[in-house]
C-alpha cells in the first residue's frame, strides 16, 4: 500500500481517476477470493446453487478458545445453509444454477511446465520499437484448489446429465424408474463419487468410544459403518491433504454405554467428550478451522445423536450430521444433514431376513407388532388392536406367530415412530417385500434426496390413524403391485454386505456424504 501512495502522489488527476476505476474493483474482488463459501442445492435434484459467504474461519488453539469462538460467532453462523428447495422444481432451479456453472465449469488447471509468451510490437512517432517478450509464469495451485476444481467438474457433469437426460452405461447396475427423483443424475453423481471422493478418518481417540461401535443391535449401523469405512481402500485416504471430507469417528451408542451415568439424565459427560475431541483435532490439524467444520461429518444411529452434536455449535450448525434420527423439528437440516436407515442386525448379518412371496400370496392387509413407545403407537393400538382382522395390530405377538413370517404374509407393514422418528421396521418391511406405511411426523426418510419414497411406500399422518383402513383400501390393486415391485427394486440400497457391494447401504451412506460435500466450496 506504501508503494501505491507514492505513485498516487506523482500521478495526474486523470491517472488518479483511472487508478480508482481499475484498481479498486480488483482489490474488492480479491478480498472475497480467500473466504469459505457455501453453495446450497435442493435436497438433491435439481441443484440450486446460491452462494453465501460466512465470516473468515476463527483460529482454534485450546479448549477455552473453542468455547470463546463458539460464543462469539454463534449468531453469525445461524443461517449458513440456504433453505432446501423442493426436488420437483427442476426447470426453476436449473435457471438459478446456470450462472454458477457458466463461471465455474470452465476452470482449468495449467500444468507446471506450461509457459505463456506474449510479443508486443508497435511504433512511436513512426519509428519501430524493439519487440519485447514477456514470460508469464503459471500460477501455482494449492492441493485444496485442485480438489475444489475436481468437485466443480463433477457438478458440471451432473448438471449436464440433468439437462440432457443421457443414460450412462454400467455393466453392473443402472438405476432407473420412478423410485428415483432423477435416475440419470443419481447414476452420474455415483460414478463421480467412485472416481474421486476421498475421506480422511482422524486417528485420534481409542476404542471403545472411538473407532468402534455396536454391530449386533438396533444401533448396529454405527459400528457397521465405522468398521467398513476404516477397512475401505477406495474412499479412505491417509493423506488429509487429499481428502474432500473428514470423519469424526466417535460412536454415540458406545458413549451412552461407557460414559453416560444410567438414569442420571445428564448429557454433560458425553458432550464434554465430543467437545474435547473436536478441540484436539482443531489444535492438531488445520482442516476444522479452515472450513468451520463444514467438510467434516459425524455418524450416529442412537436417539441421542442430535443432542450429542449440539455440544459443539459449529458441529451442529455446519457439519454434515449423518443421523438415523432425522427429525426436522429437532434441527435436522436436509440441505447439509443426511438421513440413513436404522437396521436391527441381531446377528450382525442379514441372513434369513431378505425375501418374501409375491403380492398375490399376501392375505393380510396390514400388520404391526410392538410395545408402547412414544406418542404415536398408543393411538395405533387404541384404534386397531384386536379391532379388525384385516389390520393385524398387536402389542405382543401371540405365541406361535413369527414376526418376519407375519411381515411376509402382509401387503402393508405399519411403521410408526417411537420416542424418536426412525424405526427399523422400515427396512424390515423392504427386506420382506412388504410395502412400508410410514406414520411419523417431521421424519426425513433415508436417502430421500435420491429416492422418491412416495413411489414405493405410503405416508400417513398420525392424525389419520383412525382412517388407516380406508386409506389402504383406497389404493388400487394395480398401484399396490407397482409399489411392492418398486420396493423390491430399491432393496439393494438397504442391504448390508460384507464386504460392501456397489449401490448397497454402505455406498449409499457415502454417497449422501458426497452430495453434501458437493454443497460446499472451501477456500484456502
Amino acid at each position: 500500500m506504501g508503494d501505491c501512495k507514492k505513485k498516487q502522489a506523482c500521478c495526474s488527476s486523470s491517472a488518479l481517476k483511472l487508478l480508482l476505476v481499475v484498481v479498486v474493483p480488483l482489490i474488492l474482488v480479491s478480498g472475497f477470493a480467500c473466504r469459505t463459501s457455501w453453495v446450497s442445492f435442493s435436497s438433491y435434484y435439481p441443484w440450486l446453487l446460491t452462494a453465501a459467504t460466512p465470516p473468515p474461519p476463527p483460529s482454534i488453539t485450546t479448549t477455552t478458545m473453542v468455547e470463546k469462538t463458539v460464543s462469539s460467532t454463534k449468531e453469525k453462523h445461524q443461517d449458513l445453509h440456504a433453505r432446501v428447495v423442493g426436488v420437483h422444481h427442476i426447470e426453476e432451479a436449473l435457471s438459478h444454477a446456470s450462472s454458477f456453472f457458466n463461471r465455474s465449469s470452465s476452470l482449468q488447471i495449467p500444468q507446471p511446465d506450461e509457459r505463456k509468451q506474449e510479443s508486443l510490437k508497435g511504433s512511436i512517432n513512426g519509428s519501430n520499437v524493439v519487440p519485447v517478450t514477456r514470460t508469464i509464469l503459471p500460477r501455482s495451485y494449492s492441493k485444496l484448489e485442485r480438489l475444489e476444481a475436481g468437485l466443480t467438474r463433477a457438478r458440471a457433469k451432473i448438471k449436464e446429465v440433468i439437462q440432457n437426460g443421457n443414460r450412462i452405461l454400467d455393466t453392473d447396475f443402472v438405476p432407473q424408474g420412478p423410485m428415483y427423483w432423477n435416475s440419470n443424475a443419481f447414476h452420474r453423481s455415483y460414478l463421480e463419487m467412485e472416481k474421486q471422493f476421498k475421506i480422511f478418518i482422524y486417528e485420534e481417540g481409542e476404542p471403545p468410544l472411538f473407532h468402534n461401535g455396536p454391530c449386533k443391535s438396533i444401533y448396529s449401523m454405527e459400528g457397521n459403518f465405522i468398521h467398513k469405512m476404516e477397512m475401505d481402500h477406495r474412499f479412505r485416504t491417509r493423506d488429509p491433504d487429499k481428502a474432500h471430507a473428514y470423519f469424526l469417528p466417535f460412536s454415540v451408542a458406545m458413549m451412552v454405554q461407557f460414559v453416560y451415568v444410567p438414569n442420571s439424565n445428564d448429557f454433560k459427560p458425553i458432550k464434554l467428550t465430543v467437545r474435547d475431541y473436536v478441540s484436539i483435532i482443531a489444535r492438531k490439524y488445520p482442516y476444522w478451522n479452515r472450513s468451520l467444520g463444514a467438510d467434516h461429518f459425524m455418524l450416529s444411529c442412537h436417539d441421542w445423536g442430535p443432542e450429542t452434536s449440539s455440544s459443539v455449535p459449529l458441529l451442529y450448525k455446519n457439519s454434515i450430521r449423518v443421523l438415523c434420527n432425522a427429525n426436522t423439528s429437532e434441527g435436522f437440516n436436509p440441505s447439509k444433514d443426511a438421513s440413513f436407515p436404522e437396521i436391527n442386525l441381531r446377528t450382525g448379518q442379514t441372513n434369513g431376513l431378505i425375501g418374501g412371496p409375491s403380492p398375490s400370496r399376501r392375505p393380510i392387509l396390514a400388520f404391526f407388532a410392538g410395545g408402547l413407545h412414544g406418542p404415536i403407537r398408543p393411538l395405533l393400538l387404541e384404534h386397531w388392536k384386536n379391532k379388525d382382522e384385516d389390520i393385524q395390530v398387536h402389542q405382543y405377538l401371540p405365541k406361535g406367530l413369527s414376526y418376519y413370517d407375519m411381515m411376509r404374509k402382509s401387503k402393508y407393514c405399519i411403521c410408526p415412530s417411537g420416542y424418536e422418528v426412525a424405526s427399523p421396521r422400515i427396512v424390515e418391511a423392504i427386506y420382506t417385500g412388504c410395502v412400508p406405511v410410514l406414520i411419523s411426523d417431521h421424519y426425513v426418510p433415508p436417502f430421500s434426496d435420491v429416492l422418491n419414497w412416495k413411489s414405493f411406500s405410503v405416508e400417513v399422518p398420525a392424525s389419520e390413524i383412525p382412517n388407516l383402513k380406508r386409506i389402504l383400501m383406497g389404493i388400487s390393486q394395480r398401484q399396490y403391485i407397482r409399489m411392492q415391485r418398486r420396493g423390491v427394486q430399491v432393496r439393494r440400497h438397504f442391504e448390508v454386505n460384507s464386504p460392501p457391494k456397489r449401490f448397497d447401504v454402505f455406498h449409499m451412506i457415502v454417497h449422501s456424504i458426497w452430495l453434501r460435500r458437493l454443497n460446499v466450496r472451501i477456500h484456502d
Side-chain angles (χ1 to χ4, degrees), residues 477-493:
Q477 179 70 5
R478 184 176 181 181
Q479 179 61 16
Y480 156 69
I481 292 174
R482 285 176 178 171
M483 287 192 294
Q484 196 272 345
R485 290 176 177 172
R486 291 167 184 168
V488 172
Q489 286 180 279
V490 301
R491 186 165 62 198
R492 71 179 296 153
H493 300 317

Side-chain angles (χ1 to χ4, degrees), residues 17-36:
K17 292 179 180 179
L18 179 63
L19 185 66
L20 292 174
V21 170
V22 176
V23 177
V24 171
L26 290 176
I27 294 174
L28 292 175
V29 170
S30 65
F32 291 97
C34 59
R35 305 176 79 179
T36 306

